[in-house]
Amino acid sequence: MTASRPVLHPPANMRTLRPSTRSTLFLAFTIAASTCIQNIVVVSANDNGLALTPPMGWRSWNQYGGNVDQVLMQLIMDGMVDRGRTDHNGQPTSLCGLGYCDVGLDDNWQDCGSANAAPGMHYHDIDGNPIVDLKRFPDLRRMTAYAHSLNLTAGFYGNNCICSDHCRNDTECDLHIQGDTKALVGFDFDSWKLDGCGGENDMASFDRYIRKMANRPVLVESCHWGVPKYDPDPNLPPRQGCPWNFYRSSGDIQLSYSSVLWNLASVERYRAINASVPSCWAYPDMLQIGIRRRDDGTLGLNRAESRSHFGAWCIVSSPLFLGHDVNDEEVNDAIWDIISNREAIAVNQAYAGDSGGVYETSSFLVHVDVNPSVATSRNRHLRVPGAYSEVPSYRYLSKPLGGGKVAVLLMNCSREATKLTAKFSDVAGLSCNDDTACRCKVRNIWTHKDEGSYDGSWSTIVAGHDAAFIIVEAI
């Protein structure tokens, strides 16, 4: 029996919505902590009906880079629906069962240097059609059909970075955009990451051709690294001002804790003007949880850093895209309880008018490790030498969940265990004007247990590079 096509759609309860230097990094967090969220949404989101909650899935780049092929992608698809593990309630589930259902390519499907490429191009022919590397991907249509048979959705990749094609004028660029959109539709992909490396950067044109050629909405990521030119524009109609469903707020994330902190900070300027909203989410890049270093095979982030990373992406409403080898049982053993945490995911998927972010930072700076690859990142727009070396020793983030509940993440950025305190009167949404009169219930997201009721504040010892993740409700 042929399985019906999976459909990208929001959960039922959301369907009623309409669609540096040391000082530089410190300043980013300081501004974020002192900036008030505007009361009105200034960005009109994409009206294609998708991504009413932050999208979830898997992308190939962080673990595999250009070492991808059809066999690998279909093995990953198998792993995404494997129900060999349980959630914290002991119920068998899969990654897709948790919400990670969109499985996407991230570069190197194209035939670089094809003999059929147009003069001056690497992988587009004279008619603007992209040329597939058939040795790596003999049948992309069959690959997407396989995803659909597993009730997954399949993600394509465009405006490629490996052997990028730079169209030379508006006519040629339009030809390439049309050709790439025809390929997207012809191969039956459901989502599309559009990178910023080639010459196809007219996102409104992509949206227009998708609507013209496809018989259904397509989930679109704009990957232009937080360059202001490609920010959402509130002065334009949705199809011009935000013709995508989520957009990169930063350069490429690297496999280091310092890079996690830097990318996290990049969402704050969008949150401050309420520009990260349903169907138009700010996105600090893919998750580095469970990624092995390519030189020695060890995990790039330790357990504390992985938990802090996941909690941070959840509380700022970032799309959640895994990148590890989902069939590596050793990795799964190390990270499963983090990425399968339904309470953390529920925080990520909630939206009550504020996408979440920093409300307090320490004035004391601490040194964090610098990953040498950060300085040589392919992102040429946001490189700030030395910016990763010192950060505030702690930062506190919050996100209203509705119904009087607020999620709070207390991040310890130092290497030493530290006592961190959530002062209830500082947490927006709790309506606590008097410390002594504010009594709150506290729920621990990591342990899935109620901590009890507290007057004025809640404190805990947090290990180095770890984070406490709680839900607070005034009583």
Side-chain angles (χ1 to χ4, degrees):
M1 180 180 294
T2 302
S4 60
R5 170 189 302 285
V7 179
L8 287 166
H9 57 71
N13 64 346
M14 289 293 290
R15 291 179 199 161
T16 56
L17 292 176
R18 292 293 301 166
S20 193
T21 60
R22 147 180 167 170
S23 60
T24 301
L25 183 55
F26 177 65
L27 181 62
F29 286 109
T30 303
I31 292 174
S34 61
T35 302
C36 293
I37 302 299
Q38 302 299 312
N39 292 323
I40 60 172
V41 175
V42 297
V43 171
S44 296
N46 191 316
D47 60 358
N48 68 1
L50 300 180
L52 297 183
T53 59
M56 299 171 62
W58 183 94
R59 293 289 182 269
S60 59
W61 182 262
N62 280 358
Q63 186 61 70
Y64 298 103
N67 297 318
V68 291
D69 57 31
Q70 187 164 334
V71 172
L72 171 68
M73 293 301 296
Q74 293 187 189
L75 286 172
I76 292 295
M77 292 171 185
D78 290 335
M80 299 299 288
V81 298
D82 183 272
R83 292 174 59 84
R85 290 178 180 267
T86 62
D87 63 16
H88 68 273
N89 291 317
Q91 298 300 312
T93 191
S94 65
L95 287 169
C96 183
L98 295 162
Y100 305 99
C101 294
D102 188 55
V103 180
L105 273 170
D106 199 336
D107 217 336
N108 217 26
W109 53 264
Q110 67 276 25
D111 187 6
C112 293
S114 171
N116 296 318
M121 296 297 140
H122 296 102
Y123 68 95
H124 283 92
D125 68 19
I126 194 170
D127 296 316
N129 299 306
I131 304 168
V132 177
D133 183 345
L134 297 178
K135 293 180 180 179
R136 289 179 177 271
F137 294 93
D139 193 339
L140 283 174
R141 180 65 184 249
R142 186 172 182 177
M143 187 183 81
T144 61
Y146 188 71
H148 299 154
S149 74
L150 298 175
N151 207 32
L152 298 168
T153 52
F156 201 31
Y157 174 87
N159 204 27
N160 306 31
C161 287
I162 296 175
C163 73
S164 55
D165 271 351
H166 294 270
C167 44
R168 293 155 291 201
N169 53 62
D170 290 345
T171 300
E172 189 171 59
C173 289
D174 189 69
L175 194 66
H176 286 192
I177 291 173
Q178 288 191 63
D180 287 354
T181 307
K182 289 177 185 176
L184 169 89
V185 174
F187 294 135
D188 208 21
F189 282 101
D190 309 280
S191 64
W192 206 0
K193 175 179 177 177
L194 294 168
D195 219 322
C197 293
E200 302 168 59
N201 295 302
D202 186 343
M203 297 299 296
S205 288
F206 274 112
D207 181 71
R208 183 172 65 255
Y209 285 124
I210 290 170
R211 291 173 188 269
K212 180 180 179 180
M213 297 180 192
N215 60 3
R216 57 195 168 87
V218 173
L219 183 75
V220 174
E221 173 193 348
S222 172
C223 180
H224 286 88
W225 315 309
V227 177
K229 177 181 178 181
Y230 299 101
D231 283 353
D233 188 341
N235 299 311
L236 295 174
R239 295 187 187 185
Q240 287 81 44
C242 185
W244 50 76
N245 297 110
F246 59 111
Y247 60 97
R248 281 277 292 278
S249 58
S250 67
D252 290 357
I253 193 170
Q254 306 297 315
L255 191 51
S256 70
Y257 179 65
S258 54
S259 184
V260 168
L261 297 179
W262 178 259
N263 281 40
L264 173 62
S266 70
V267 302
E268 289 297 336
R269 69 184 179 95
Y270 300 103
R271 182 244 185 169
I273 59 171
N274 221 2
S276 181
V277 297
S279 295
C280 190
W281 302 103
Y283 174 47
D285 207 359
M286 299 166 283
L287 293 162
Q288 288 281 15
I289 298 168
I291 303 299
R292 291 186 182 273
R293 294 187 178 94
R294 295 177 189 174
D295 54 355
D296 62 9
T298 60
L299 293 181
L301 300 179
N302 63 33
R303 178 172 175 79
E305 293 164 347
S306 296
R307 195 159 70 159
S308 188
H309 181 12
F310 192 71
W313 263 231
C314 285
I315 206 165
V316 300
S317 304
S318 170
L320 300 177
F321 283 90
L322 304 168
H324 68 287
D325 179 356
V326 299
N327 297 305
D328 184 330
E329 293 307 317
E330 182 179 7
V331 169
N332 287 331
D333 288 343
I335 67 171
W336 179 259
D337 65 320
I338 299 173
I339 63 174
S340 69
N341 190 314
R342 292 187 184 273
E343 293 187 49
I345 293 170
V347 169
N348 173 260
Q349 298 288 288
Y351 184 75
D354 176 1
S355 58
V358 176
Y359 72 88
E360 181 181 334
T361 61
S362 172
S363 59
F364 179 72
L365 301 182
V366 294
H367 205 77
V368 294
D369 292 334
V370 178
N371 185 334
S373 65
V374 168
T376 58
S377 168
R378 73 182 183 189
N379 171 31
R380 57 191 180 278
H381 298 283
L382 298 179
R383 189 182 304 141
V384 185
Y388 303 86
S389 60
E390 290 186 309
V391 298
S393 63
Y394 67 78
R395 64 210 55 176
Y396 298 166
L397 299 89
S398 66
K399 178 183 178 180
L401 304 178
K405 296 182 179 181
V406 180
V408 175
L409 187 76
L410 308 179
M411 297 182 71
N412 177 15
C413 303
S414 72
R415 300 181 186 183
E416 305 300 326
T418 304
K419 182 179 180 179
L420 300 181
T421 300
K423 186 178 178 182
F424 300 146
S425 60
D426 292 336
V427 178
L430 287 179
S431 302
C432 292
N433 298 318
D434 184 342
D435 292 343
T436 59
C438 187
R439 185 171 179 81
C440 291
K441 294 189 296 184
V442 176
R443 170 77 174 179
N444 192 319
I445 291 175
W446 295 142
T447 64
H448 309 289
K449 294 180 179 179
D450 293 325
E451 293 284 331
S453 300
Y454 296 82
D455 293 316
S457 65
W458 178 82
S459 299
T460 189
I461 302 297
V462 179
H465 292 186
D466 206 343
F469 202 3
I470 58 175
I471 294 175
V472 183
E473 181 181 10
I475 56 176

